[in-house]
Structures are given as C-alpha cells and as structure tokens.
Amino acid sequence: MFLTNRMSSGKAKHMVRAESEKETNQLKINGVPISVRPKENILSAALRQGIDFPHSCRVGGCATCKCKLVEGRVQELTETGYLLSDEELDNGYILACQSIPQTDVTIQVENKETIFGIVFQQKVLTDEICEISIQLEGSLHFQAGQYVSLSIEGLDAERNYSFANAPNKKGIVSFIVRKVPNGKLSNYIYHENLVGKKAKLKGAFGNFYLRESQKPILMVAGGSGLAPILAILEQGILNGTKRPLTLLFGARKKEDLYKINAIQKIQKIWKGKFTFIPILSEEPINSSWKGKRGLVTSFIRDHLTKSTEAYLCGPPPMVDAATKELLQFGIQKQSIFADRFSTIDHSLSLNIDDKTLRSKAGFFDYIKFFLFHAVGLMSIVSLLLGGMYTTIGFFSLLFFYIVGDELSGDDKSTPSYTKPEILTLQLWLALPILWILFFCSVWTMSPIDTLGFGSWLTQIFGFDFNFAKENTSILVHGYAVLFTGLMIGLVGTITAHELTHRTWDPISMFIGRWLLAFSFDTIFSIEHVYGHHRYVSTTEDPATAPRGRNVYYHVLASTIKGNISAWKIETKRLKRKNLSTFSYHNAFLRGHLMSVCLVILAYLIGGIFGMLFFIAAGLFGKALLEIVNYMEHYGMVRLPEEPVQPRHSWNTNKRISSWTMFNLTRHSHHHAQGEVPYQDLRPYPNAPMMISGYLTTIVIALIPPLWHYLMIPKVLEWDKKYASPEELELVKVANEKSGITLLMKSNQD
C-alpha cells in the first residue's frame, strides 16, 4: 500500500547495480561505512554493527530514527507523510527503520561530537545533588540549555546530563547531578572522588534553549532541572537580554535549595525585571521558612500573561502538570519549551536480537498455526447447525481456550523459519474464512433461504439446515452474536494486527484492512501503527488503560479517542501531501466505507435482522480489541521520549493462545521490536506477565472486582521490579488518580 522509492537529490554513484544482486550494499552514516544485508533496513544494520543510532518504536511510528538521505536510493516501507514534516520531506529525510537501501547509500543523522576532559572540581550541594566541573581538551559546540551523554572513567555507564553553564572560551563545563536510587552513574558521581578522572562527552543534543523574542519569560525548575535554567540565564546575561523573567524553583525542604546565591547575583545584573520565587512542598509547618509553600505548579498562574513564553525543566510529572496548567490558561503550545529529566538505564532492556539458540523449524512448527483456521471452520459449522450445536460450539470454544491454556502450559520455543511464505499464506487465508463466517452467520438470521444456500447444504450433507435455522431460539441467536463477534476478533482483528504492520506489502495491507472492516475498525491500520506504537504506555495513548479504569468505560473511551487520533493522523498526512481531505486518498473515510459496504451486504443477505445481527457482532468484535488493549498495557507508564522496552507490555506464553493468535501473546517483544514478524517473536519469561492466556484474561477483565483483585499485586510488582526512577514519579501520579486504596497507599511506602 505504501511501498515507494526515494532517491537523493545528489548524484548516486552506483545506480546501475541490479536490485536483485546478492552482495550487500554499503551504507555510510555520517561518513562511517557499514554493510547492509539484502532486505535489511538502515536502522537494523546500524544497530547490528554497534552504531548508536537514535530510535524508539522501530515500526515507522515515531520518527525518532529520521535521517537525511544524501546519496543513493532506498525503498521506503511505509508512508512517511504520516510522520515527517513538509520541510523534512523536501529536504530528503527518510525513516531509517523503514528504508531498505537499493544502492550504496549515504545518510546523515544528528551530529554527535565526542570530546574528552578532566574532572577538576566536585561539590556536594544537597543531600541528593552535587556539581562537577570538567576542563575539556578541546572545543565543544553547544547552546545553553542543551545536554550531552556523559561517562566518567572508572564506571561503565553513560547518562544524559544538561550543561549548567553557558559556552565559554575556557572550555569549562559544569553539570548538576541528582543521586538517583540504584542509579549507577549518579551514585558514582555523588559518592566517589572524581577529581582527576577522565570524562567523555557526546553531543550536544536537545532543543531546550532561549528563543529570540520580546515576550515575558516564565521559568519553572524542579530538582536538578535547575541546571539548564542556570545555563540559559548565564547566556541571557552575556547576550544582554532585557526581557522580564520570573523563575519558580520548586524543592521539598529548605535543605534541598541550592545555587540561591548564584541566582540572586543573576537577579541583580539581569537587564530586565527579574523575579525569583523558591517554593517548598514538604517543609515542616513549624520551621523558620517564610517563603512560599506548596507545589511549584500551583503558582504558575500568578505569573502569567497571555503572551508569556514558558521554559520548564525537571521531573516528568512536574513538567506535565506545568504544561497542563499553561495550556488551560491559554498559552499556546508553541510557546512552551520543556526538558523532562530522565536517567533511565537502557542497558536493562532485554536482548531481543539473540538468535543463537534457535533450531530449524520442523513440520509441526508450521502446522501448529493452522489450528487458528480449524477454530474458524469449526465455528462456522456450529453456527450453521444452529440450536444446541451453536450453544455447544460457543461454550466449547471458551473451554478450549481457557482450560486448554491452563492444561497445556507455556510455549517457549523459538524455531528459525526458512519458509516464511507459508506463514504469510496462513495469515492471508483468514480473509476467505471470515467472509464465509460472515455469510453463514448472517444467513442464519435471514427470513428466506438466501441464494438457496440452506437447500444446497442439505442436499450435500443430508441435514436440514433450513429447519435448524427456523427452530433456533432467540437465546441461541444471542449466543451466535457473541460467537460471531468473538470470531471476528480472533480471525479478523488479530490477523489484521500482523498484516497491517507490513506497510510495505500491498496485498497484506489490502487483506488486513478488509479483515478490520468486519469490526468497523479499519482506522486501526492508521492509529495502531502511527499512534499506539509511538505513545504506548503513556497518557497520550488512547489504547493504554490507566490504573483504576473500568474496562467498560475503556472500550467506549478508547474507541472514540482512537478514531479522533486516526483522523488527526490521516488529515495531517493528506495536508503534507497536498491532497484533499474529503477524497479517495483519505484512508480513514475509505476504511469506514468498507464497513458500510458490509452492512449493506448483510442487509441483502439477511434482511433487517441479518443487518442488525452483523452490526451487533461487529461491534462486539471491536469491543474485544479494546478489551485486549486494556489488558495488554493496563497500569503501565512510560516517558514518551524514551524507547519502548519489553517491560511496557503485559506478556503471556500460554500455548493455545500463542498458536491460535499468531504469537500476539508475545506482546513485550512485539512492542520492543515492532518490525519483527510474528513467527520470530521471543517468549521472554522475565517480561511482565499477565494473569493467564488471552481469553482467560478477557473474561477476568469483564469482572472489574476480580480484575482489580488479581491485577493490583501485579501492577505493584511492576513498579518495584520494572519501573525506572523517572517512571516511579509517573507511578505516583497514576496511583493518586486511580482511586484505588492499595495503589494510593503504596505512594506512602
């Protein structure tokens, strides 16, 4: 659907090379040559060979890996108009994770200077914060407010820290570091004597710097977030800035305030009006403190005008709360600049590229996925037989999944498949199965024998299908709605989930979107790939259920917000491509029209009752998707700017669920490496585990008291075992909003 070729505007030196040639192409990244295997994308090649390439979702949903195509030609696997701006498209930018070199290729990514220096000063500022100063061996180009990746001799760890001073001719840089619980580098910096040790800096990065403007400035800092603020203030003095400025500095207690004298000196020499307000949130009432008390964000409105330009730096919850306050007051988003401090240790991510333990797939490894098709065909037979057979079929399906998962245990095998075309065919076969299911289930509601279908079956099998249809009770038809909706979810949505990730394959995209049309959810092919995979486990993601949310509310909220998100994503793409919103090019509208066609067809097959039957079954199928979303990421949190890791999805290795759902159960790996096909997903046993298999967990989710009884301990375990220090700050906010006593109480522990 989206397969395109992009050629650099420069001269390609190797255009005559045949694309089918087996030897690898050469890729140059900022001048560094590496090799690329056939059909390997740029990002995978870079990471495989140890190149530190910026990335996050790996499925073309976030644009973190964008780079400039300088020379050569690439095959693009997805529609870049969903993510790249007009300017970036005009300047030849591509997504590394979605670009396969067709020739030798040269690209440029954000420049990363590496420079060394010596630590010459180290000061403890508070019980948690210290400052180090480094004499650089050469010049480093940066703007006040930016950050670098810092490592220090004696410890194998690298973290991002903002400069605490403006650039200077002496080549001296300072950093303010907060001691993070279990933080290797921050504790090393705080506790060890570093004077004389060698430091390595890579950067600079970030777009947190003072903009040229005449607007009044509001700065809000918390903890070590004061560092880039100090750098910006120092640069403002050097530039002779005259703009009025207010600095709100939040801390817990008096002992946590630092650099007060330095700020007061800046206040005296700032050329415009300068207001400095320190605010304490946990200072004892009987102390000598005469200043402001409370959360720093609660004082923002007192210092705003409609033209204020805001600069926010500190823990993510503070930045998020401040941003919300500013937007509610009417400050435009383009006037808010933020730096959310993060010290997540990415070395904790699971090794998802290790294939050394895989054996070659045998016959059974292929045939086991046909169990999916057997379930679909048996369901069709049960619906046609009607009466007690439909009832037995429905409850047998529940029994098969729920009891089967419990008895059969886990599937942790990871065979290496040499014939992926068979596995793709298995996916494609879902569409004819679902079409047959659609016709047969709607036919059972028809007042007539549409197309003589029942008579034809009777002649073949000797069973009176028309009689069975006429004598099926309303209760059984109710079971049939649930049965059909369940199969629309299993056969349609689950298969479409895999197919619509293959944005480079027009056949898979065509089949996938038609499968989604049965559940009125073709927008899934837009929102899921370009929205959900980008924002999963954050408050920006409609599909991620926050702690305390009721599953029935989630079905409704996620459906509405998901459609709104997909509409925004699609209209933005059309605008960038200079295409009309209300035209054939709009995949959002085109997809919903596909569902409308199915509704009309259901009416032609089964009349008004057949149409209503299909609508009810399709909506139930859509609800199942949202229930699955609910349980796959319930209660998890993530910083939007941090790469998705296996810990951000609930996983299960139950055998029946895995075999009949194309390894959707291995969801942790899927979100960590979204480009990996289902057969290659890994069953990480140390990933967060959901309650049981998928259908079991769905049933439990539908009983909110039971769900919360079983899930609260798992969520608390996730906080303790998987959450980073920054995510724990988000956890506190999520717990407070949940309304669940045990979660709120955990904030005090």
Side-chain angles (χ1 to χ4, degrees), residues 662-682:
F662 298 114
N663 283 339
L664 178 69
T665 51
R666 300 176 178 184
H667 213 61
S668 292
H669 189 184
H670 170 68
H671 268 282
Q673 271 188 300
E675 82 281 9
V676 173
Y678 75 90
Q679 67 268 17
D680 293 328
L681 294 174
R682 304 292 299 277

Side-chain angles (χ1 to χ4, degrees), residues 604-621:
L604 296 175
I605 296 171
I608 188 67
F609 291 110
M611 181 184 74
L612 293 175
F613 175 92
F614 168 66
I615 292 174
L619 290 176
F620 181 63

Side-chain angles (χ1 to χ4, degrees), residues 119-167:
V119 179
F120 72 89
Q121 194 173 65
Q122 186 176 13
K123 294 180 183 177
V124 172
L125 302 179
T126 74
D127 289 342
E128 291 186 342
I129 293 175
C130 73
E131 179 182 26
I132 59 171
S133 297
I134 299 171
Q135 177 66 63
L136 300 178
E137 295 178 351
S139 60
L140 176 65
H141 301 288
F142 69 94
Q143 289 180 285
Q146 289 188 301
Y147 65 90
V148 292
S149 181
L150 175 69
S151 58
I152 305 226
E153 178 187 358
L155 185 70
D156 183 20
E158 188 175 310
R159 301 291 180 272
N160 295 335
Y161 293 110
S162 294
F163 295 105
N165 65 309

Side-chain angles (χ1 to χ4, degrees), residues 2 11 75 96 101 111 127 166 212 352 462 543 545 563 577 648 749:
F2 295 128
K11 293 181 179 179
Q75 182 185 65
N111 187 39
D127 289 342
E212 291 187 9
I352 52 182
N563 272 271
K577 295 290 186 178
H648 295 123
D749 297 339

Side-chain angles (χ1 to χ4, degrees), residues 443-518:
W443 174 84
T444 64
M445 297 298 298
S446 174
I448 62 172
D449 182 17
T450 308
L451 301 178
F453 179 67
S455 300
W456 176 69
L457 286 178
T458 300
Q459 289 179 352
I460 296 175
F461 297 103
F463 179 88
D464 195 336
F465 287 90
N466 284 312
F467 179 80
K469 178 176 71 168
E470 293 168 1
N471 287 274
T472 297
S473 67
I474 295 177
L475 177 62
V476 173
H477 282 310
Y479 288 140
V481 169
L482 299 178
F483 200 177
T484 304
L486 185 58
M487 296 314 300
I488 287 174
L490 291 173
V491 177
T493 305
I494 288 175
T495 316
H497 169 264
E498 175 71 21
L499 291 174
T500 52
H501 270 293
R502 304 182 180 191
T503 54
W504 61 90
D505 182 356
I507 297 176
S508 293
M509 286 297 296
F510 175 83
I511 294 173
R513 279 172 60 82
W514 269 110
L515 289 170
L516 291 169
F518 287 89

Side-chain angles (χ1 to χ4, degrees), residues 302-444:
D302 298 338
H303 303 278
L304 288 179
T305 70
K306 291 297 182 181
S307 61
T308 292
E309 193 171 80
Y311 293 81
L312 318 171
C313 191
M318 186 215 79
V319 172
D320 292 342
T323 301
K324 183 179 180 180
E325 189 75 13
L326 291 164
L327 292 172
Q328 288 179 347
F329 184 80
I331 303 300
Q332 297 298 309
K333 201 168 186 178
Q334 57 266 30
S335 293
I336 303 173
F337 306 97
D339 191 359
R340 296 155 55 99
F341 267 35
S342 170
T343 57
I344 289 179
D345 185 353
H346 293 293
S347 66
L348 295 176
S349 62
L350 301 174
N351 185 357
I352 52 182
D353 292 313
D354 181 16
K355 298 181 180 179
T356 57
L357 301 178
R358 295 190 177 189
S359 58
K360 185 177 179 180
F363 175 77
F364 179 75
D365 293 311
Y366 288 93
I367 205 69
K368 68 183 181 184
F369 291 115
F370 279 109
L371 187 60
F372 162 89
H373 307 83
V375 168
L377 293 173
M378 289 301 296
S379 300
I380 293 170
V381 172
S382 297
L383 288 166
L384 287 173
L385 291 175
M388 67 175 184
Y389 295 105
T390 298
T391 304
I392 292 172
F394 174 63
F395 285 101
S396 295
L397 182 70
L398 297 179
F399 182 87
F400 172 68
Y401 275 96
I402 295 173
V403 178
D405 272 335
E406 293 305 315
L407 295 180
S408 62
D410 292 343
D411 175 26
K412 299 180 181 179
S413 62
T414 57
S416 178
Y417 292 89
T418 58
K419 297 184 181 298
E421 62 275 8
I422 296 176
L423 301 167
T424 298
L425 178 62
Q426 288 175 318
L427 294 169
W428 289 356
L429 286 174
L431 186 57
I433 290 175
L434 194 55
W435 272 109
I436 295 171
L437 176 76
F438 166 76
F439 177 84
C440 292
S441 62
V442 173
W443 174 84
T444 64

Side-chain angles (χ1 to χ4, degrees), residues 522-559:
T522 52
I523 63 100
F524 179 89
S525 63
I526 302 171
E527 206 288 322
H528 180 83
V529 176
Y530 303 105
H532 176 63
H533 269 264
R534 183 177 186 178
Y535 297 113
V536 64
S537 296
T538 73
T539 55
E540 298 293 319
D541 179 33
T544 297
R547 303 174 182 206
R549 175 175 284 183
N550 181 288
V551 67
Y552 299 100
Y553 174 79
H554 181 77
V555 170
L556 182 63
S558 183
T559 298

